[in-house]
Amino acid sequence: MSVNEVKIKRAATAFELRGTGPPTSRTFVLGDEDHTLGNALRHVLINDARVDFAGYCVPHPSEPVVHIRVQSNEKVQANRSSGDDDEMLLEGGEDNGPLTAIEALKEACATLSNQCDLVLEKLEGAAPEVKVDRERMDRLAEEDRVNEDDEEEEEEE
């Protein structure tokens, strides 16, 4: 490793749900994320009329986690037209209850993912070399993941 490379430590947990009380108010801890995802999710959440509050923080620059706080309006009914009745029952949701913080975050993640896919599709259409570069970067990332897994297995032995 050169002087200019920084080895960023991995988060102890990938995802943690915090908070008690009404299901419309929760804090989510996302590991190995930073301001990039936190601010993007906050922006999508705050643009949802059913969400009263959305905020995020990174507790410390050397800690690879972001905390996302979501509070949805308890008086506004959730828009559950996706047909995921089994998933809703697993989470204890009811057909006519308010939007829970978990549902709000799931919808925000899906919206953000769709927006990113649209931007990438338009960019790759306008500049085909971007697609070639993305595919190359995907291969390199996969190789890195395999190498990390191999290193972790060697450390465990």
Side-chain angles (χ1 to χ4, degrees):
M1 182 176 345
S2 76
V3 175
N4 295 328
E5 291 180 35
V6 176
K7 182 77 172 176
I8 298 174
K9 68 177 182 178
R10 306 284 294 182
T13 181
F15 178 82
E16 183 180 338
L17 179 62
R18 294 183 180 171
T20 58
T24 56
S25 179
R26 293 288 183 268
T27 298
F28 304 91
V29 180
L30 306 178
D32 298 321
E33 297 297 344
D34 58 12
H35 292 282
T36 305
L37 182 63
N39 193 39
L41 281 173
R42 181 205 57 83
H43 177 78
V44 172
L45 283 161
I46 207 67
N47 284 313
D48 187 338
R50 301 167 298 167
V51 174
D52 286 338
F53 175 82
Y56 83 97
C57 72
V58 174
H60 192 275
S62 68
E63 195 177 342
V65 296
V66 63
H67 295 200
I68 300 174
R69 178 73 177 170
V70 180
Q71 289 178 251
S72 61
N73 190 322
E74 293 182 12
K75 294 173 180 62
V76 177
Q77 300 299 309
N79 182 14
R80 295 186 176 100
S81 58
S82 65
D84 290 338
D85 294 332
D86 293 338
E87 185 174 310
M88 207 166 30
L89 291 173
L90 285 174
E91 293 175 2
E94 295 180 10
D95 290 339
N96 57 359
L99 179 73
T100 67
I102 294 172
E103 291 168 337
L105 184 66
K106 283 182 179 180
E107 288 180 17
C109 288
T111 299
L112 185 59
S113 178
N114 291 340
Q115 290 173 345
C116 290
D117 290 343
L118 178 67
V119 169
L120 185 60
E121 178 184 312
K122 292 194 178 281
L123 181 62
E124 288 176 348
E129 64 273 11
V130 172
K131 183 174 184 176
V132 172
D133 189 48
R134 180 183 54 82
E135 290 169 347
R136 183 178 63 83
M137 294 303 291
D138 287 346
R139 282 192 305 273
L140 290 173
E142 181 60 31
E143 290 172 10
D144 283 348
R145 268 187 239 113
V146 169
N147 290 339
E148 278 184 3
D149 291 343
D150 291 345
E151 288 175 6
E152 288 176 3
E153 288 175 6
E154 289 175 6
E155 288 176 5
E156 290 175 0
E157 293 175 358

